[in-house]
Amino acid sequence: MTFVSHPQGKTLYGRRKGPSLSPRQQALMDTKAPLYQISLDEDFQSLSLKGDSLTTWIDPEKELWLEIGFGGGEHLIHLAHAYPDRQFIGCEPFFNGIAKLVCALSEQKINNIAFFADDARLLLNALPQHSVSGAFLLYPDPWPKKRHWKRRFVQRATLDLLARILKDKGGFYCATDKPDLGLWILRHCLDHEAFVWTAKNNQDWDVPWDGWLSTRYEQKALREGRKPIYLQFQKRA
Ligand SMILES: C[S@@+](CC[C@H](N)C(=O)[O-])C[C@H]1O[C@@H](n2cnc3c(N)ncnc32)[C@H](O)[C@@H]1O
């Protein structure tokens, strides 16, 4: 599996590799991953899937949704089954998470998911304008130390990229178990002219949106006594 380098240098701080894959997982990665993996050309603009432009896979009659940092892919796979008439792109640079997704895709014969195995900002930069109906950012890395806040995924520049690809009234759905990160996301989105917080009475951050499936990280947070925060935004029309 190849990874691309960002034109502005290193922007990805999380880990890419964990323990070695089992022989079965490795075999599936070798044979099946290319069927689902989106590639980015050296121009950092052209996306392709199975040798064709990604635009041939994107069906203009269907909604296209994104999940940024899908971990092991459980939530993404749930979405693909729950909404068979939508298309999904998952983005995750962690190789072992990608391997889990690829195993599930091939075992469950899912054909409405494609994945990008790198920094989501590269993908956001290259997707067509106004092509995405909604994006999930679930339990992003919190980077609690102040000197690492610039590594947090939600930044003004990332919201600019997201605003460009979202359709008018497209959704941005975030969850975290870290109150200070929740406030960071809320403040950045409230400060951005493209986004509106769609919470009822501006205070129901403890209530998930309809159809929510708890993720692996949320289960860990709940076991350890931390309370989830759900933040839902809409791109202004
Ligand atoms: C704390 S985990 C949460 C995983 C999953 N969403 C869940 O709730 O179980 C954060 C994930 O975001 C991924 N990630 C970190 N930076 C990313 C980036 N720039 N683009 C895409 N994914 C990223 C990490 O590899 C990791 O899998």
Side-chain angles (χ1 to χ4, degrees), residues 12 69 71 92-94 119-121 138-139 141 153 215-217:
L12 185 68
E92 175 56 63
F94 184 52
D119 186 335
R121 285 166 284 202
L138 308 176
Y139 294 86
D141 295 326
F153 190 80
T215 69
R216 183 183 287 252
Y217 265 79

Side-chain angles (χ1 to χ4, degrees), residues 85-221:
D85 53 347
R86 295 181 185 175
Q87 293 182 300
F88 297 93
I89 297 178
C91 190
E92 175 56 63
F94 184 52
F95 191 72
N96 301 61
I98 297 163
K100 279 191 189 147
L101 178 79
V102 169
C103 291
L105 290 177
S106 94
E107 280 162 7
Q108 299 174 36
K109 310 228 178 317
I110 295 168
N111 59 13
N112 55 342
I113 292 181
F115 72 87
F116 182 68
D118 218 310
D119 186 335
R121 285 166 284 202
L122 294 167
L123 179 73
L124 300 183
N125 188 49
L127 279 171
Q129 193 175 14
H130 303 156
S131 57
V132 172
S133 296
F136 294 94
L137 178 68
L138 308 176
Y139 294 86
D141 295 326
W143 298 111
K145 292 181 183 154
K146 189 170 182 186
R147 69 174 188 279
H148 289 154
W149 285 356
K150 59 180 181 301
R151 299 181 177 187
R152 289 177 167 175
F153 190 80
V154 170
Q155 307 281 348
R156 169 91 200 177
T158 321
L159 294 176
D160 288 344
L161 294 175
L162 192 57
R164 188 187 71 80
I165 60 162
L166 278 175
K167 293 184 173 175
D168 288 351
K169 298 197 170 181
F172 180 38
Y173 302 83
C174 305
T176 179
D177 57 330
K178 308 284 190 236
D180 86 301
L181 180 60
L183 284 175
W184 170 280
I185 294 171
L186 185 57
R187 185 167 60 74
H188 278 76
C189 289
L190 290 176
D191 283 351
H192 197 293
E193 58 285 355
F195 292 93
V196 183
W197 186 25
T198 52
K200 291 186 197 84
N201 307 320
N202 278 2
Q203 61 181 26
D204 65 347
W205 53 54
D206 51 353
V207 181
W209 43 86
D210 292 345
W212 169 243
L213 176 88
S214 184
T215 69
R216 183 183 287 252
Y217 265 79
E218 178 165 288
Q219 289 303 313
K220 183 169 181 279

